[in-house]
Amino acid sequence: MRDYVQVQILRAAIFVLILLSSMPAWAQSVVLRADDVLPTLKGAAPDAFYVNGSAIHGLDDDTATSGFQNHDAGRLVLTLTALRLIDQGKLTLDAPVAQVLPEHIEKNPFQVALTLRHLLTETGGFAVPSTGFNMPTHLNTSLIELRAPGQVSAPDPIGLRLLEALIIKASGLSLQDVLEREFFIPLGISATHSATPVTKPVTLSPRILARMAVLLLRNEQSDGSAYLSRQSYEMLTQGVLWLFHPLGPERSAAGYLRERAGRSWVEINPGFIVFPREGVAFIAPSVMAGGPVASFRQTVWRIAQQNFPPHSIPDGRMNAARALTLPTDIAGRYTRADRPSAWLHTRLENMQKNWIRVSELEGGKLRVMLNSPVPEAAGAAPAQGSVTFHPVAPYHYRSDSGERLTFSPVRAGGYLYLDGVLYRYTGLMGNIPFLMSLLPWVFAALASAVFHLRSKLGKPWRRMALFSLTGGALIGGALYAEWALWPVAMYEWDIPVLVTLWRTALNIGLMLVLSLPLLAIAFVRRGPMPEKGWALILAGPHLALISIAAMTLFLITVATGLAGTFTAL
């Protein structure tokens, strides 16, 4: 009898273990009453609704099936599809993308290898397409790397195009077919979508968004079985796939992982916020489409405070942060870097308009002065003005009103996040209005060498004049092409070799003008120099003026990222 009881207990234990292993990592633990929540939520966004477990509250039947397009929603569709392919063994999270797509990504052992992890967390480092121009037809024309993979996370439409290509290659199907098989059919969704979710965004409806929220909360297909493996589901909702700082921004496969006062959530989009632990998601299609963000965010936070009990945050992150070396030399000028552009016009405009200045105060405090308000949709950073931040841990600061300022602890290119908005250190070289104001004088100084084209002092002086005029002309023409023709050559004509040609000309011009200070030194030391008249008085200052102009022009090309760059990609 005792043996029989033991066998039954063992069977029951095995059954419980199997049952627990089949449950999602986050089980529903909070039930929200619609009468308490909806009036407040609708006040922030009339089309807002929330999902509680598998129940959907506040979704208007008239708009539930209306067409809806959004970058982040399309990204989530691709992410879910990629995770399904990982579960099937067709993709690997940390395998180099170059192994699957050698026609798009070159294998380079001397660079950080781009992986699926980077594409899922939007840390690939690709330049974004220029505003006002169509997305390049050929993917390879778009793959312009501006920073190493894994450094920082920012919206990356080009990385998503590459993710599309990776999914197509790994599955052996067209994008429409693989989405049908891995996303729409398993979730019981009627597919009303176009072929590509990024270049031609996938058409979703609020009802589909609600179904996606249920998936994030419960990991269930339409038949009740698990949509993802337990490991992939954890990567989606709680696994940290990218970390900027122990207390700073971090990302799962679904979106940014946020934490405040003992509550944690996943932000797929400012209008799509999911609390996996509590089993609740809040969605506002109008906010996802670019509507007001602050009111919806604040309303969701108030609901969370009132209804979700706080949970303990592991001390390991704080201990890891405090173990970092105290920062030095973090003050200076920083420029917005969440939409990096390869077009000179856009870069200079951004450096001129969207910057902050960080100053160090006594007691380890920092003062941040914003030149312009941060767009509401970009994050919750403070408005235009000055804000004081207090140290919490090395490289991590917080203001009295709760804004967070986090610097890269490894100084990865001098980046910081101001409450989720990315900035890059530019220092004095980021003062673009001042640098651009010097250009006319610089070219005028170089052009003044024309008086030495027929110099009687000999060939060295005539050679110097030729170098100054030719170098100035090459650099001036290349700068104009970068300013006016770059997006046309890349996007409309699709001839990136033109960019390579004028950048080569620019660097040849730089070599010519950088030889001018050396020639000037040689003239002063060994001659020939004028020996009488006004030429004797003016020759030295004129050589100095040309030399200063040459060095200034070189520094301007360095500040604009053109010096030493030859290829378009």
Side-chain angles (χ1 to χ4, degrees), residues 351-370:
M351 294 172 72
Q352 179 179 352
K353 296 180 179 180
N354 302 310
W355 56 271
I356 63 174
R357 187 179 302 280
V358 179
S359 304
E360 298 185 59
L361 305 176
E362 294 183 358
K365 298 179 183 178
L366 296 178
R367 175 177 291 132
V368 175
M369 193 275 284
L370 285 87

Side-chain angles (χ1 to χ4, degrees), residues 196-218:
T196 52
V198 179
T199 54
K200 297 178 182 178
V202 61
T203 300
L204 301 174
S205 66
R207 191 177 299 282
I208 295 178
L209 295 178
R211 183 64 187 88
M212 293 167 70
V214 173
L215 169 61
L216 291 169
L217 299 175
R218 301 177 66 87

